[in-house]
Amino acid sequence: MSTDLHDAPEPIRSATSARSAASAARSAADPAAPPPPGLTPAAVATLHELVIDWFDAHARDLPWRRPDAGAWSVMVSEFMLQQTPVARVLPVHAEWLARWPRPADLAAESPGEAVRAWGRLGYPRRALRLHAAAGAIAHRHGGEVPGSHAELLALPGVGEYTAAAVASFAYGRRHIVLDTNVRRVFARVVGGVEHPPNATTAAERRTAEGLLPADEATAARWAAATMELGALVCTARSPQCGRCPVAALCAWRLAGSPPHAGPPRRGQSYAGTDRQVRGRLLAVLRASREPVPQAALDAVWHEPVQRARALDGLVEDGLVEPLADGVYRLPH
DNA sequence: CAGCCGTGGCA
DNA sequence: TTGCCAAGGCT
């Protein structure tokens, strides 16, 4: 146990305080936060030990987790893993790190090259934001990925989760790391329900803070371990409770694994949406090293109004650069 | 803050 | 087959 617990007085903030400051305050976990209701400090300590021991035995050997992986590798992985499965990220992450081993290397490229190298990971605006973040790191941070949550949060494409993840995984800092996996694990083990709320709540942050180990290195381990548990065992569909190290302590399990009550969880529609059209348009542009004539883009979608709206949106987002004479290319 | 932003695998 | 889901962020 750490003996240098210090008080972290809640800063008084006006309603107009900056988003980054407010988020940083939220994620800077209070070492004195109480355990969640119904859990004794001893139970929390048991939870830590069981989950971290399980992690030591079952963690996947992922490139961005290896001892020689730098903060840049971690940061690239976190961008790519935003809403994209690990299996699809692995090859692209390897390509990126080999091609752009430092943030400045990526920053020296055109944004279009980042979008092209993003391939089919999806949500290509992430490639643009990562490219912009690399530029900010190169120019404002001496080429080194910053280690503080606030500085990370100021980078494009870095939100509360990614800032905490990079600070924790790359720098061993103590932060609550609330991704979809961790939120689901806590919803079940502590909350006794099958699924967390749609959006992260203050109650979830309090729970996470109450569970966060006081010791910095243990906290970072805990963050990775709870995330891995959610990814491999405590999955959204058909969880493997028989392989769960904390099944005996799980509130959801102890309650008989009741199915999700509440309103149905909203899914993402896709077929026929602008997103699908944008995807097809960008696929054509990624595949061509030369600027693409309008006719080639027109061929991907039958409906002209939606097609034009999608293309306009891509241009608006900076993913496509219009040239003269109705010719388009990825941005230079 | 609810809706938008890609893509593909799997139950 | 179709819906659900995957290490979110931004407006």
Side-chain angles (χ1 to χ4, degrees), chain A residues 244-299:
Chain A
C244 180
V246 295
L249 305 177
C250 177
W252 182 56
R253 194 76 176 149
L254 292 172
S257 306
H260 178 66
R265 316 169 66 218
R266 66 178 188 283
Q268 331 154 346
S269 58
Y270 181 65
T273 63
D274 286 7
R275 294 159 70 188
Q276 183 178 24
V277 185
R278 287 167 58 108
R280 290 192 183 184
L281 291 170
L282 211 53
V284 171
L285 290 157
R286 274 198 312 264
S288 172
R289 188 60 68 170
E290 301 301 319
V292 170
Q294 180 82 53
L297 297 177
D298 289 348

Side-chain angles (χ1 to χ4, degrees), chain A residues 23-306:
Chain A
S23 295
R26 268 204 304 276
S27 122
D30 178 359
L39 286 181
T40 64
V44 172
T46 300
L47 215 47
H48 293 163
E49 185 176 350
L50 291 172
V51 174
I52 291 175
D53 284 353
W54 171 87
F55 184 64
D56 288 340
H58 299 283
R60 290 168 293 180
D61 174 30
L62 301 172
W64 45 87
R65 278 186 188 156
R66 291 174 189 153
D68 61 329
W72 174 237
S73 175
V74 173
M75 184 167 172
V76 170
S77 79
E78 290 302 335
F79 269 75
M80 292 182 170
L81 288 164
Q82 290 169 5
Q83 301 285 281
T84 302
V86 167
R88 226 178 304 162
V89 164
L90 285 169
V92 185
H93 178 269
E95 286 174 25
W96 275 56
L97 265 294
R99 182 172 177 184
W100 301 306
R102 300 164 305 176
D105 300 319
L106 175 59
E109 289 272 9
S110 72
E113 273 310 296
V115 172
R116 191 189 309 282
W118 197 253
R120 304 186 67 80
L121 288 182
Y123 292 146
R125 292 189 295 186
R126 291 181 294 165
L128 234 38
R129 292 177 185 144
L130 181 49
H131 178 270
I137 292 168
H139 298 303
R140 297 204 297 271
H141 296 285
E144 297 297 323
V145 175
S148 84
H149 189 276
E151 288 176 312
L152 287 162
L153 196 56
L155 298 172
V158 177
E160 187 178 342
Y161 160 75
T162 301
V166 173
S168 181
F169 302 153
Y171 293 103
R173 301 283 176 82
R174 182 177 181 276
H175 290 285
I176 60 169
V177 180
L178 274 180
D179 80 320
T180 186
N181 291 307
V182 177
R183 295 180 59 220
R184 186 175 53 251
V185 169
F186 291 173
R188 290 175 181 169
V189 174
V190 179
V193 297
E194 184 178 17
H195 295 297
N198 282 327
T200 305
T201 64
E204 287 182 274
R205 292 194 183 88
R206 280 194 298 275
T207 295
E209 284 163 8
L211 291 175
L212 193 65
D215 172 69
E216 191 175 45
T218 308
R221 199 76 181 152
W222 167 252
T226 48
M227 194 174 303
E228 190 78 338
L229 186 63
L232 297 184
V233 173
C234 193
T235 51
R237 286 175 295 190
S238 48
Q240 310 292 304
C241 300
R243 298 179 183 173
C244 180
V246 295
L249 305 177
C250 177
W252 182 56
R253 194 76 176 149
L254 292 172
S257 306
H260 178 66
R265 316 169 66 218
R266 66 178 188 283
Q268 331 154 346
S269 58
Y270 181 65
T273 63
D274 286 7
R275 294 159 70 188
Q276 183 178 24
V277 185
R278 287 167 58 108
R280 290 192 183 184
L281 291 170
L282 211 53
V284 171
L285 290 157
R286 274 198 312 264
S288 172
R289 188 60 68 170
E290 301 301 319
V292 170
Q294 180 82 53
L297 297 177
D298 289 348
V300 308
W301 199 255
H302 52 89
E303 210 291 303
V305 174
Q306 187 180 24

